[in-house]
Amino acid sequence: MSSFTPSLDRLIEQFAKLPSVGKKSAQRLAFHILSMTDAEANAFTETINKARSSIKRCEICCNLTDTKVCTICSSQSRDKSVICVVEDPRDVIAIERTHEYNGLYHVLHGAISPMNDINPEDICIKELLTRLNDDVKEVIMATNPTVEGEATSMYISKLIKHLGVRVSRLAYGVPVGADLEYADEFTLIRAIEGRKDL
Ligand code: ZN
């Protein structure tokens, strides 16, 4: 039984639901919230609410954005002939950090996983297909090097290869079984340079 009052228990429980937050950290965060001034606490909750209501998916690439079309899709300096397909918005940030890639992105928001009942129609594949016009010369599959990521990559490549678009895959450098977002810049640079046709 907890020695805290029920409201505090509930607050701790909410923090404990966050990724990488254990029971001790959850308690620390809850007590920190209680020690805030009203103004600080209100600013915090308002920021959460505003982020949740204003952040949506870019109409073109499905990346998260505050505007209809994200800054990368609306940029005049990006190479519109290449689309790099990733599973997660955090992968875009990871690749942008390398400063080695100047094309566009497409965020799938997941990977095909029959085990978890995630089918092709559950991720943003049809949105990618509608983007493949004459301007697009290459699609780089940068899904995670996991079973699901590989399966997703193969599935998409089969769909678009006959359209005459070059399809490549991040090759070496990214450790197998790891998440792309955790790879360092140099690993990602090698992976982008070493991509190969599917
Ligand atoms: Zn976009």
Side-chain angles (χ1 to χ4, degrees), residues 13-55:
E13 267 169 38
Q14 291 302 319
F15 278 115
K17 286 180 189 168
L18 299 175
S20 310
V21 176
K23 188 91 185 149
K24 274 254 147 52
S25 301
Q27 283 182 10
R28 205 167 53 240
L29 292 168
F31 276 100
H32 179 73
I33 295 285
L34 293 180
S35 73
M36 284 176 164
T37 63
D38 285 351
E40 284 169 341
N42 286 336
F44 189 62
T45 49
E46 262 169 41
T47 307
I48 293 175
N49 289 334
K50 190 155 189 329
R52 286 188 52 85
S53 64
S54 69
I55 296 174

Short mmCIF file of all heavy atoms in Angstrom, two decimals, residues 13-55:
data_model
loop_
_atom_site.label_atom_id
_atom_site.label_comp_id
_atom_site.label_asym_id
_atom_site.label_seq_id
_atom_site.Cartn_x
_atom_site.Cartn_y
_atom_site.Cartn_z
N GLU A 13 1.52 7.52 -10.80
CA GLU A 13 1.17 6.48 -11.77
C GLU A 13 1.26 6.99 -13.21
O GLU A 13 1.72 6.29 -14.10
CB GLU A 13 -0.28 6.02 -11.54
CG GLU A 13 -0.43 4.82 -10.64
CD GLU A 13 -1.91 4.63 -10.25
OE1 GLU A 13 -2.78 4.85 -11.11
OE2 GLU A 13 -2.14 4.29 -9.08
N GLN A 14 0.79 8.22 -13.43
CA GLN A 14 0.84 8.79 -14.78
C GLN A 14 2.28 8.93 -15.26
O GLN A 14 2.58 8.60 -16.41
CB GLN A 14 0.14 10.16 -14.83
CG GLN A 14 -1.37 10.12 -14.65
CD GLN A 14 -2.06 9.23 -15.69
OE1 GLN A 14 -1.71 9.25 -16.86
NE2 GLN A 14 -3.03 8.45 -15.24
N PHE A 15 3.15 9.41 -14.41
CA PHE A 15 4.55 9.55 -14.80
C PHE A 15 5.19 8.19 -15.03
O PHE A 15 6.02 8.02 -15.93
CB PHE A 15 5.34 10.35 -13.76
CG PHE A 15 5.18 11.82 -13.91
CD1 PHE A 15 4.56 12.58 -12.94
CD2 PHE A 15 5.66 12.47 -15.05
CE1 PHE A 15 4.40 13.95 -13.09
CE2 PHE A 15 5.51 13.84 -15.21
CZ PHE A 15 4.87 14.59 -14.22
N ALA A 16 4.80 7.20 -14.22
CA ALA A 16 5.39 5.87 -14.36
C ALA A 16 5.01 5.22 -15.69
O ALA A 16 5.67 4.28 -16.14
CB ALA A 16 4.95 4.99 -13.19
N LYS A 17 3.95 5.73 -16.35
CA LYS A 17 3.55 5.19 -17.65
C LYS A 17 4.46 5.67 -18.78
O LYS A 17 4.45 5.13 -19.88
CB LYS A 17 2.11 5.63 -17.99
CG LYS A 17 1.05 4.90 -17.20
CD LYS A 17 -0.32 5.42 -17.62
CE LYS A 17 -1.41 4.88 -16.71
NZ LYS A 17 -2.68 5.60 -16.93
N LEU A 18 5.22 6.75 -18.53
CA LEU A 18 6.09 7.30 -19.57
C LEU A 18 7.26 6.35 -19.83
O LEU A 18 7.71 5.66 -18.92
CB LEU A 18 6.62 8.68 -19.15
CG LEU A 18 5.58 9.77 -18.91
CD1 LEU A 18 6.24 11.03 -18.39
CD2 LEU A 18 4.81 10.08 -20.18
N PRO A 19 7.76 6.33 -21.10
CA PRO A 19 8.87 5.43 -21.40
C PRO A 19 10.12 5.79 -20.58
O PRO A 19 10.40 6.98 -20.38
CB PRO A 19 9.11 5.64 -22.90
CG PRO A 19 8.38 6.88 -23.27
CD PRO A 19 7.30 7.09 -22.26
N SER A 20 10.84 4.79 -20.16
CA SER A 20 12.10 4.94 -19.42
C SER A 20 11.94 5.60 -18.05
O SER A 20 12.92 6.07 -17.48
CB SER A 20 13.15 5.73 -20.22
OG SER A 20 13.28 5.21 -21.49
N VAL A 21 10.73 5.71 -17.54
CA VAL A 21 10.55 6.30 -16.21
C VAL A 21 10.16 5.19 -15.23
O VAL A 21 9.11 4.57 -15.36
CB VAL A 21 9.46 7.40 -16.23
CG1 VAL A 21 9.22 7.93 -14.82
CG2 VAL A 21 9.86 8.53 -17.16
N GLY A 22 11.04 4.95 -14.26
CA GLY A 22 10.76 3.94 -13.24
C GLY A 22 10.00 4.56 -12.08
O GLY A 22 9.68 5.75 -12.08
N LYS A 23 9.70 3.74 -11.09
CA LYS A 23 8.89 4.17 -9.95
C LYS A 23 9.54 5.35 -9.20
O LYS A 23 8.89 6.34 -8.89
CB LYS A 23 8.72 2.97 -9.00
CG LYS A 23 7.76 3.19 -7.87
CD LYS A 23 6.34 2.76 -8.25
CE LYS A 23 5.37 3.12 -7.12
NZ LYS A 23 4.04 3.44 -7.56
N LYS A 24 10.85 5.26 -8.97
CA LYS A 24 11.56 6.31 -8.23
C LYS A 24 11.54 7.63 -9.00
O LYS A 24 11.26 8.70 -8.43
CB LYS A 24 13.03 5.89 -8.01
CG LYS A 24 13.21 5.05 -6.76
CD LYS A 24 13.88 5.89 -5.67
CE LYS A 24 13.44 5.52 -4.28
NZ LYS A 24 13.55 4.10 -3.93
N SER A 25 11.82 7.56 -10.31
CA SER A 25 11.81 8.78 -11.13
C SER A 25 10.42 9.36 -11.18
O SER A 25 10.23 10.58 -11.16
CB SER A 25 12.27 8.47 -12.55
OG SER A 25 13.56 7.94 -12.54
N ALA A 26 9.41 8.49 -11.25
CA ALA A 26 8.01 8.96 -11.30
C ALA A 26 7.68 9.75 -10.04
O ALA A 26 7.04 10.81 -10.10
CB ALA A 26 7.07 7.77 -11.47
N GLN A 27 8.15 9.26 -8.91
CA GLN A 27 7.92 9.98 -7.65
C GLN A 27 8.60 11.34 -7.67
O GLN A 27 8.04 12.35 -7.28
CB GLN A 27 8.47 9.17 -6.47
CG GLN A 27 7.58 8.01 -6.07
CD GLN A 27 8.15 7.25 -4.87
OE1 GLN A 27 9.09 7.70 -4.23
NE2 GLN A 27 7.58 6.10 -4.60
N ARG A 28 9.85 11.34 -8.16
CA ARG A 28 10.62 12.59 -8.18
C ARG A 28 9.91 13.62 -9.07
O ARG A 28 9.79 14.79 -8.71
CB ARG A 28 12.04 12.30 -8.69
CG ARG A 28 13.03 13.32 -8.20
CD ARG A 28 14.48 12.90 -8.42
NE ARG A 28 14.78 12.54 -9.78
CZ ARG A 28 15.22 11.35 -10.15
NH1 ARG A 28 15.40 10.40 -9.27
NH2 ARG A 28 15.47 11.10 -11.42
N LEU A 29 9.44 13.17 -10.24
CA LEU A 29 8.76 14.09 -11.17
C LEU A 29 7.46 14.61 -10.55
O LEU A 29 7.14 15.79 -10.66
CB LEU A 29 8.48 13.38 -12.50
CG LEU A 29 9.72 13.04 -13.32
CD1 LEU A 29 9.38 12.09 -14.47
CD2 LEU A 29 10.37 14.30 -13.87
N ALA A 30 6.72 13.72 -9.90
CA ALA A 30 5.44 14.12 -9.29
C ALA A 30 5.68 15.19 -8.22
O ALA A 30 4.98 16.20 -8.16
CB ALA A 30 4.73 12.91 -8.71
N PHE A 31 6.69 14.96 -7.38
CA PHE A 31 7.00 15.95 -6.33
C PHE A 31 7.48 17.26 -6.94
O PHE A 31 7.19 18.34 -6.41
CB PHE A 31 8.03 15.38 -5.35
CG PHE A 31 7.40 14.54 -4.27
CD1 PHE A 31 7.41 13.15 -4.36
CD2 PHE A 31 6.76 15.14 -3.20
CE1 PHE A 31 6.80 12.38 -3.39
CE2 PHE A 31 6.15 14.37 -2.20
CZ PHE A 31 6.17 12.99 -2.30
N HIS A 32 8.19 17.16 -8.05
CA HIS A 32 8.65 18.37 -8.73
C HIS A 32 7.46 19.20 -9.22
O HIS A 32 7.42 20.41 -9.06
CB HIS A 32 9.57 18.01 -9.90
CG HIS A 32 10.06 19.22 -10.64
ND1 HIS A 32 11.01 20.07 -10.12
CD2 HIS A 32 9.68 19.75 -11.83
CE1 HIS A 32 11.21 21.06 -10.97
NE2 HIS A 32 10.42 20.89 -12.01
N ILE A 33 6.46 18.50 -9.78
CA ILE A 33 5.25 19.19 -10.26
C ILE A 33 4.57 19.93 -9.10
O ILE A 33 4.14 21.08 -9.22
CB ILE A 33 4.26 18.18 -10.89
CG1 ILE A 33 4.86 17.55 -12.15
CG2 ILE A 33 2.90 18.82 -11.17
CD1 ILE A 33 4.89 18.43 -13.36
N LEU A 34 4.51 19.25 -7.94
CA LEU A 34 3.85 19.86 -6.78
C LEU A 34 4.61 21.08 -6.26
O LEU A 34 4.01 21.99 -5.71
CB LEU A 34 3.71 18.83 -5.65
CG LEU A 34 2.76 17.66 -5.93
CD1 LEU A 34 2.71 16.73 -4.72
CD2 LEU A 34 1.36 18.17 -6.26
N SER A 35 5.93 21.07 -6.49
CA SER A 35 6.72 22.20 -5.98
C SER A 35 6.71 23.40 -6.92
O SER A 35 7.22 24.47 -6.59
CB SER A 35 8.17 21.75 -5.74
OG SER A 35 8.81 21.57 -6.97
N MET A 36 6.12 23.22 -8.11
CA MET A 36 6.06 24.33 -9.06
C MET A 36 5.11 25.41 -8.59
O MET A 36 4.16 25.12 -7.85
CB MET A 36 5.53 23.83 -10.42
CG MET A 36 6.50 23.05 -11.26
SD MET A 36 5.61 22.48 -12.74
CE MET A 36 6.99 22.03 -13.77
N THR A 37 5.33 26.65 -9.06
CA THR A 37 4.34 27.70 -8.81
C THR A 37 3.13 27.42 -9.71
O THR A 37 3.24 26.65 -10.68
CB THR A 37 4.89 29.09 -9.17
OG1 THR A 37 5.17 29.10 -10.57
CG2 THR A 37 6.16 29.39 -8.39
N ASP A 38 1.99 28.03 -9.41
CA ASP A 38 0.80 27.84 -10.27
C ASP A 38 1.10 28.24 -11.70
O ASP A 38 0.68 27.57 -12.65
CB ASP A 38 -0.37 28.68 -9.74
CG ASP A 38 -0.98 28.05 -8.50
OD1 ASP A 38 -0.61 26.89 -8.18
OD2 ASP A 38 -1.82 28.71 -7.85
N ALA A 39 1.84 29.34 -11.86
CA ALA A 39 2.14 29.83 -13.21
C ALA A 39 2.99 28.81 -13.98
O ALA A 39 2.73 28.52 -15.15
CB ALA A 39 2.88 31.16 -13.13
N GLU A 40 3.98 28.24 -13.30
CA GLU A 40 4.84 27.24 -13.95
C GLU A 40 4.03 26.00 -14.34
O GLU A 40 4.17 25.47 -15.44
CB GLU A 40 5.98 26.82 -13.02
CG GLU A 40 7.09 27.85 -12.90
CD GLU A 40 8.06 27.52 -11.77
OE1 GLU A 40 7.70 26.73 -10.86
OE2 GLU A 40 9.17 28.07 -11.79
N ALA A 41 3.20 25.54 -13.40
CA ALA A 41 2.40 24.34 -13.67
C ALA A 41 1.42 24.58 -14.81
O ALA A 41 1.23 23.71 -15.68
CB ALA A 41 1.66 23.91 -12.41
N ASN A 42 0.81 25.77 -14.83
CA ASN A 42 -0.13 26.08 -15.92
C ASN A 42 0.59 26.14 -17.26
O ASN A 42 0.08 25.65 -18.27
CB ASN A 42 -0.84 27.41 -15.66
CG ASN A 42 -1.88 27.27 -14.57
OD1 ASN A 42 -2.38 26.16 -14.31
ND2 ASN A 42 -2.21 28.37 -13.89
N ALA A 43 1.78 26.75 -17.27
CA ALA A 43 2.53 26.84 -18.52
C ALA A 43 2.87 25.44 -19.03
O ALA A 43 2.82 25.16 -20.23
CB ALA A 43 3.81 27.65 -18.31
N PHE A 44 3.21 24.55 -18.10
CA PHE A 44 3.55 23.18 -18.45
C PHE A 44 2.37 22.45 -19.08
O PHE A 44 2.47 21.87 -20.17
CB PHE A 44 4.03 22.47 -17.19
CG PHE A 44 4.62 21.11 -17.42
CD1 PHE A 44 5.77 20.94 -18.19
CD2 PHE A 44 4.04 19.98 -16.84
CE1 PHE A 44 6.32 19.69 -18.39
CE2 PHE A 44 4.59 18.72 -17.05
CZ PHE A 44 5.72 18.57 -17.82
N THR A 45 1.22 22.51 -18.42
CA THR A 45 0.04 21.80 -18.96
C THR A 45 -0.43 22.43 -20.27
O THR A 45 -0.83 21.73 -21.19
CB THR A 45 -1.13 21.78 -17.96
OG1 THR A 45 -1.33 23.10 -17.47
CG2 THR A 45 -0.87 20.86 -16.80
N GLU A 46 -0.33 23.76 -20.35
CA GLU A 46 -0.72 24.43 -21.60
C GLU A 46 0.16 24.01 -22.75
O GLU A 46 -0.31 23.81 -23.88
CB GLU A 46 -0.63 25.95 -21.45
CG GLU A 46 -1.97 26.60 -21.15
CD GLU A 46 -1.81 28.06 -20.74
OE1 GLU A 46 -0.98 28.75 -21.36
OE2 GLU A 46 -2.50 28.48 -19.79
N THR A 47 1.47 23.86 -22.47
CA THR A 47 2.40 23.45 -23.53
C THR A 47 2.06 22.05 -24.02
O THR A 47 2.08 21.78 -25.23
CB THR A 47 3.86 23.48 -23.01
OG1 THR A 47 4.11 24.76 -22.45
CG2 THR A 47 4.85 23.22 -24.12
N ILE A 48 1.72 21.17 -23.10
CA ILE A 48 1.34 19.80 -23.50
C ILE A 48 0.07 19.84 -24.35
O ILE A 48 0.01 19.25 -25.43
CB ILE A 48 1.10 18.90 -22.25
CG1 ILE A 48 2.42 18.67 -21.51
CG2 ILE A 48 0.47 17.57 -22.66
CD1 ILE A 48 2.28 17.90 -20.21
N ASN A 49 -0.94 20.58 -23.87
CA ASN A 49 -2.21 20.65 -24.61
C ASN A 49 -2.03 21.27 -25.99
O ASN A 49 -2.58 20.80 -26.98
CB ASN A 49 -3.25 21.44 -23.82
CG ASN A 49 -3.73 20.66 -22.62
OD1 ASN A 49 -3.67 19.43 -22.61
ND2 ASN A 49 -4.17 21.35 -21.59
N LYS A 50 -1.21 22.34 -26.06
CA LYS A 50 -1.02 23.03 -27.32
C LYS A 50 -0.28 22.13 -28.31
O LYS A 50 -0.62 22.06 -29.48
CB LYS A 50 -0.24 24.34 -27.09
CG LYS A 50 -0.21 25.23 -28.30
CD LYS A 50 -0.01 26.69 -27.96
CE LYS A 50 -0.20 27.61 -29.14
NZ LYS A 50 0.15 27.07 -30.44
N ALA A 51 0.75 21.44 -27.81
CA ALA A 51 1.50 20.53 -28.69
C ALA A 51 0.57 19.45 -29.23
O ALA A 51 0.58 19.13 -30.42
CB ALA A 51 2.66 19.90 -27.92
N ARG A 52 -0.27 18.92 -28.37
CA ARG A 52 -1.16 17.84 -28.80
C ARG A 52 -2.21 18.33 -29.79
O ARG A 52 -2.60 17.60 -30.69
CB ARG A 52 -1.84 17.19 -27.59
CG ARG A 52 -0.90 16.31 -26.80
CD ARG A 52 -1.65 15.55 -25.74
NE ARG A 52 -2.81 14.84 -26.28
CZ ARG A 52 -2.75 13.64 -26.83
NH1 ARG A 52 -1.63 13.00 -26.90
NH2 ARG A 52 -3.84 13.06 -27.31
N SER A 53 -2.66 19.58 -29.65
CA SER A 53 -3.71 20.05 -30.55
C SER A 53 -3.14 20.64 -31.84
O SER A 53 -3.79 20.60 -32.88
CB SER A 53 -4.61 21.06 -29.85
OG SER A 53 -3.87 22.20 -29.51
N SER A 54 -1.93 21.19 -31.80
CA SER A 54 -1.44 21.88 -33.00
C SER A 54 -0.53 21.01 -33.87
O SER A 54 -0.41 21.24 -35.07
CB SER A 54 -0.72 23.18 -32.64
OG SER A 54 0.47 22.89 -31.97
N ILE A 55 0.08 19.99 -33.30
CA ILE A 55 0.99 19.17 -34.10
C ILE A 55 0.18 18.13 -34.88
O ILE A 55 -0.62 17.40 -34.31
CB ILE A 55 2.06 18.49 -33.22
CG1 ILE A 55 2.94 19.56 -32.58
CG2 ILE A 55 2.91 17.53 -34.05
CD1 ILE A 55 3.95 19.02 -31.57
#
